Structures are given as structure tokens and as C-alpha cells.
Amino acid sequence: MAYSPQDVYARHLVSRRGYPLWTPEPNMNLPDVYIREGLKIGDVGVVVPEDGSFDVFFNVCLPPTHSLHLETGVPDNFTPILLSARDIARFPEAESAGRIISTSSVARVREPDASDEDTERRAQPGLLNYEFTLSSREGAVLILPEGAERYYLRNERLFMDKAIRHAVDWYNFAEQRLGRIISHDSLYLITGFYKARSWSLAAYQQGAGAGETSAQFKAVQVGRGNIAASYTWETTHAMDWRVGPSDLYYNGMANQTVFIQGFKIAVREGILGTKVNVRPDFPTVRTYRVEFSSGSRFSNLWGGGSRSRSGSTANARAPRGK
């Protein structure tokens, strides 16, 4: 069975760092501050299954007057969460320059053997030149030429309590106000991420008997500008890959979100009422909507739903790597 590059990439690179986005760059339809800085802690939305981007609905920390909320508004009963500077941890060099993140399906990672004529060229500052030998039927690779920064929320209780109280309002907003058709367990509240200035990512899937695959990545001018105009990927078999950011996004800031962490929010109709489940986990990414049975108060765009709840859980914690 063939899977999309986004599905293969996410399935193989999801880890303690979080959920990997096949599309790390900001959505150009968002306000300028998002295009300039990328995703923010407190963003609520879903991972888009077709392209692996994060669709931002609103942010729990921004006021209703913020540019993100001006066009579509905010959910019912919305009040922003006020964070202090110490509520968010920041590590500017969480991943070092030239970092390669891959799965065990990448059997070997090395720099190609140098010939006398190209030794001087490859020794130039900022030049990356990696060769990969891929020994399994599918896998994924992320290269961070300039490393990555890490941010995460320390005071997670504030976010969890807010999500438990207002999950139904948030689903109502997503489906009724924004017109999104989403499953009952797909809402995601971002509590952390890794951001990079530049990146290259790849996913491959090959049929049985295809044999060993090799791939080579080269980039110049790393750290001196946009690498998207100065790269090459060379492979012996077909492979899906992306390099960024393009000139449209590059501003010298780490605004490319390569991993996200957060709370997965689910709402379900039960015998005792509406059950809200909020837990640290990876997002649910579906290409279809999970419908409730006929007669459920959520069977028609969650309309008229009660905000009562029977509880929440915080078990099955995903690795956070703190």
C-alpha cells in the first residue's frame, strides 16, 4: 500500500522531539507576525493530512483584538491565558548546526570520500555534503544545516485546565465558524516546538525487491542566506524531498517549525454525558471525519452541544525529552 510522503515522514520521525511537520514554513495567509516568527505556543488547530502543515484556528494566549483573531473571531467563552516570561523555556542551540535526524532505516550516514580535486571545495565554510545509504523499504531524513531552537511551556496545567473547560466551544468554533470538517479527536494545542532557519527533509517508499538505495545531499552558503537556491539531492531511486525556506520566507529568523509538541483534545458522547479527554500526545491526523451515532448532540457539526464534561485524562504521556 502506498502512503503519502507526509504520512511516511511523520510515522518515521515522530519522537521525543514531537511530531514532525512535512511543511515547516508559515502559512502565508496568516498575519505578518506569524509569517515573520512562525507558529506560537498556545496555537490551537489541526495537522493537515495532505501536506503536513499546521492549520491555526486561534491562540489561547492572544487577545480577541490580535490580528490573528480579527477576521474570524474567537470561540465562545474565550478569555486569553496570561503567561509570564518564566512560563516558557527557550534553548537557542537545542540542535547543533548540521544535525541529521533519521530513523534506523538509514543504515549509514557519512560524508562522501574526497578526491584530490574537490577536497578544497568541500572544505569551504558552510558547505554540507552528506551521503545516505537507505537499506529498508521506507524511511525519512531531516537535515538542519543551521541547527534548531527549542521552546516549550513549563506551566502546562494552565493549558490543560483551559482545554478541559472549553473543548466543546473550541470544536464548535472550528466547525461552525471556520467550516472545518474534522474528527472528534484531532484538535491540538501547541505547548512546544523546534524551529529552524533552514532545513531539508525527505521520505522514501519503495516496492519489494528494490534493493539498497543511496541518496546524497549537498548545500552551499549555509548560514549566509537561503539554502533553497543552492542545494542538490541525488538518489538512485525515487524519493520525495523538500528544502527550505524559499526567499519568500527567509528572514534570518528561526521561523520554520520542524517539530511540534502539545495536548491532543478529544470530545466524546457517553452515557454519563460529554467526556473531554486532554493529554500530552502526538496529534491525530485523519483524511476523513469520525462521525458520532445518530442522535448524538455532536452528530451534526457539534451543534447545540452541552459544555458539561465527565472528566479528563493525562495518562499515556508522549515522550517530552525535558
Side-chain angles (χ1 to χ4, degrees):
M1 181 178 184
Y3 295 93
S4 69
Q6 141 68 17
D7 179 77
V8 174
Y9 179 75
R11 182 155 37 86
H12 282 276
L13 287 194
V14 68
S15 67
R16 63 174 179 80
R17 295 180 180 87
Y19 184 89
L21 295 178
W22 180 256
T23 303
E25 54 265 53
N27 181 346
M28 291 299 291
N29 287 330
L30 291 176
D32 289 344
V33 65
Y34 272 81
I35 297 172
R36 185 172 63 253
E37 300 176 5
L39 295 177
K40 295 180 175 297
I41 287 177
D43 283 340
V44 177
V46 297
V47 175
V48 179
E50 290 78 13
D51 62 11
S53 63
F54 191 80
D55 186 9
V56 180
F57 297 164
F58 64 95
N59 185 289
V60 298
C61 299
L62 300 178
T65 55
H66 190 275
S67 56
L68 176 66
H69 299 149
L70 287 182
E71 183 174 346
T72 57
V74 294
D76 292 342
N77 305 300
F78 178 86
T79 55
I81 295 174
L82 300 179
L83 296 177
S84 69
R86 295 191 64 182
D87 285 328
I88 297 178
R90 177 176 179 262
F91 296 90
E93 299 181 1
E95 300 292 348
S96 58
R99 182 79 165 96
I100 299 171
I101 300 171
S102 63
T103 54
S104 57
S105 59
V106 179
R108 186 168 66 252
V109 180
R110 64 180 177 87
E111 291 195 52
D113 295 331
S115 63
D116 293 339
E117 59 185 299
D118 69 1
T119 300
E120 182 178 353
R121 176 181 59 83
R122 293 195 307 109
Q124 296 172 359
L127 175 66
L128 294 181
N129 192 359
Y130 296 121
E131 183 174 328
F132 306 92
T133 301
L134 317 172
S135 60
S136 68
R137 293 182 58 180
E138 63 176 35
V141 179
L142 168 65
I143 303 172
L144 300 171
E146 298 175 78
E149 302 178 1
R150 184 191 179 198
Y151 299 78
Y152 68 86
L153 179 70
R154 292 186 183 274
N155 192 346
E156 293 183 329
R157 175 56 61 183
L158 282 175
F159 278 31
M160 175 173 280
D161 290 346
K162 180 72 76 171
I164 292 169
R165 288 195 301 269
H166 297 290
V168 174
D169 289 330
W170 295 358
Y171 273 102
N172 277 330
F173 177 78
E175 296 202 326
Q176 295 181 1
R177 187 82 61 84
L178 301 182
R180 302 298 198 272
I181 300 176
I182 58 178
S183 64
H184 69 281
D185 58 350
S186 60
L187 269 187
Y188 202 66
L189 171 56
I190 291 181
T191 62
F193 39 63
Y194 285 76
K195 286 184 176 180
R197 291 177 177 82
S198 58
W199 47 268
S200 182
L201 51 86
Y204 70 93
Q205 185 180 33
Q206 54 191 5
E212 189 175 81
T213 298
S214 66
Q216 188 171 346
F217 171 77
K218 299 178 183 179
V220 298
Q221 296 182 349
V222 175
R224 299 194 299 273
N226 174 21
I227 70 164
S230 55
Y231 66 84
T232 59
W233 268 103
E234 300 173 359
T235 66
T236 57
H237 290 78
M239 184 170 71
D240 293 285
W241 51 267
R242 303 187 70 234
V243 175
S246 67
D247 288 331
L248 192 64
Y249 296 98
Y250 189 84
N251 59 9
M253 297 179 62
N255 64 349
Q256 310 287 300
T257 309
V258 291
F259 289 97
I260 58 173
Q261 298 173 335
F263 287 124
K264 177 178 173 179
I265 304 167
V267 179
R268 185 177 298 276
E269 178 80 354
I271 297 176
L272 300 178
T274 304
K275 183 176 181 180
V276 175
N277 187 304
V278 178
R279 69 176 187 268
D281 204 345
F282 306 126
T284 296
V285 183
R286 301 184 191 276
T287 57
Y288 59 91
R289 181 184 175 195
V290 177
E291 296 285 357
F292 289 97
S293 61
S294 177
S296 164
R297 61 168 62 100
F298 296 128
S299 62
N300 182 19
L301 295 183
W302 306 82
S306 167
R307 290 191 295 272
S308 64
R309 60 188 183 278
S310 61
S312 66
T313 61
N315 56 350
R317 175 178 290 267
R320 306 303 290 273
K322 293 183 181 177

